[in-house]
Amino acid sequence: NEKAVLSTSAFKSALARTGAAFMIADSTNYDAQIEKAMSDLGRSGLPLYLVYPAGGGKPVILPQVLSPQVAIGALEAAAQLPPEGAWPDLMARAQDGDQAAYRLVLRAVLPAIRRMARRRISDEALAEDAVQDTLMTIHRLRHTYDPARPLLPWIAAIASARSIDVLRRSGRTRRFEVMDEEAMVAAPDTGAPAEALAPEREVAHLLGLLSGRPRMMVEMVKLREMSLDDAARASSLSVSAVKSVLHRALGRLREHGNS
């Protein structure tokens, strides 16, 4: 349990995110208080793993053989996070600058993000990379979320794209053909030599020509390689609107390249 769960970076990160305190009761030598606590819980053997709710109350007794999913899930449940129905309002408050609401909604959506990542990625370390990338993308794009819509589909689109990115970086993904209707905007832009766009400072310069949604669409579809459907969900736009905005943005960049 120590090596497989309690000493892992994922578990330590979960402790930090949920604000949980990790405590060890040393039973190397006899301790009457420890014996009484175990007796009160109806337990006589070790190891004994307990998770106490953030608001107080009886502890949850975990299995003697732990897994990362069980341990981290118990921490997140004990943090007493808000239900899914409250997420859009919390995100709306976060968009207005409420930092407490922002921290709370991130803590609330984290278990769902982790489940999404692990459905796509079996490697625990890579899955955690996808989780962290998703959280960073949510932070960058939070202003694009429409609070009138459910938050989970918006997050799911981002989590899907970030998981694919992680798999691509690790060389563990396949290449799929794109739909014909996506080919025009999803294929590499041939209006300028690819090597001319490669340097990072040139990319930053070109992005500086755009602002708002046009820049966001280029970043999502061209730089982060999100699909049109994922970009539409992440930006709360229709696929046709994404195509239109992206087409205009690329047209402006091509005009600059030809000038």
Side-chain angles (χ1 to χ4, degrees):
N1 288 332
E2 178 70 25
K3 291 183 179 179
V5 180
L6 303 180
S7 294
T8 63
S9 59
F11 181 75
K12 292 176 181 178
S13 179
L15 287 174
R17 287 192 302 270
T18 58
F22 184 57
M23 303 177 67
I24 301 175
D26 187 359
S27 61
T28 304
N29 298 315
Y30 175 78
D31 188 301
Q33 289 183 319
I34 294 177
E35 288 294 322
K36 183 180 184 306
M38 292 176 62
S39 177
D40 291 343
L41 293 169
R43 296 301 175 102
S44 59
L46 295 174
L48 176 60
Y49 300 103
L50 306 173
V51 177
Y52 287 84
K58 295 181 179 181
V60 174
I61 301 176
L62 302 185
Q64 287 188 321
V65 179
L66 296 175
S67 70
Q69 292 82 1
V70 168
I72 293 173
L75 290 177
E76 291 167 343
Q80 298 181 337
L81 302 175
E84 184 179 339
W87 296 356
D89 179 64
L90 287 171
M91 183 59 89
R93 287 161 53 191
Q95 290 173 328
D96 291 335
D98 188 332
Q99 292 301 310
Y102 186 44
R103 287 192 296 270
L104 186 57
V105 74
L106 288 181
R107 287 172 54 199
V109 302
L110 187 58
I113 294 173
R114 182 167 284 112
R115 287 193 298 271
M116 295 172 195
R118 286 177 177 163
R119 279 199 296 266
R120 284 182 172 268
I121 306 172
S122 59
D123 184 280
E124 182 179 341
L126 290 178
E128 192 60 27
D129 286 346
V131 170
Q132 297 306 318
D133 287 355
T134 299
L135 291 174
M136 288 189 290
T137 303
I138 290 172
H139 180 73
R140 289 196 301 268
L141 300 180
R142 65 190 185 280
H143 63 284
T144 68
Y145 169 66
D146 180 1
R149 299 186 179 187
L151 181 61
L152 190 57
W154 185 79
I155 288 175
I158 296 175
S160 174
R162 296 289 73 77
S163 295
I164 292 171
D165 287 346
V166 166
L167 288 172
R168 282 184 176 135
R169 291 198 300 266
S170 70
R172 301 184 187 184
T173 190
R174 303 173 184 173
R175 293 186 177 273
F176 295 92
E177 293 183 354
V178 296
M179 298 287 289
D180 287 343
E181 65 177 4
E182 296 184 358
M184 179 182 72
V185 291
D189 182 13
T190 57
E195 58 269 23
L197 301 179
E200 196 170 301
R201 59 186 179 183
E202 179 65 14
V203 172
H205 172 68
L206 290 172
L207 286 176
L209 300 173
L210 306 172
S211 61
R213 282 181 172 170
R215 174 170 178 153
M216 182 176 67
M217 289 304 123
V218 171
E219 288 180 337
M220 287 195 293
V221 177
K222 287 298 191 179
L223 299 185
R224 294 200 291 272
E225 298 182 338
M226 293 174 67
S227 70
L228 294 176
D229 287 337
D230 286 344
R233 284 191 291 269
S235 60
S236 299
L237 295 174
S238 66
V239 172
S240 61
V242 169
K243 290 181 180 179
S244 177
V245 172
L246 184 59
H247 181 71
R248 291 198 300 271
L250 294 177
R252 181 174 180 183
L253 294 179
R254 278 192 289 269
E255 287 177 3
H256 174 78
N258 293 332
S259 63

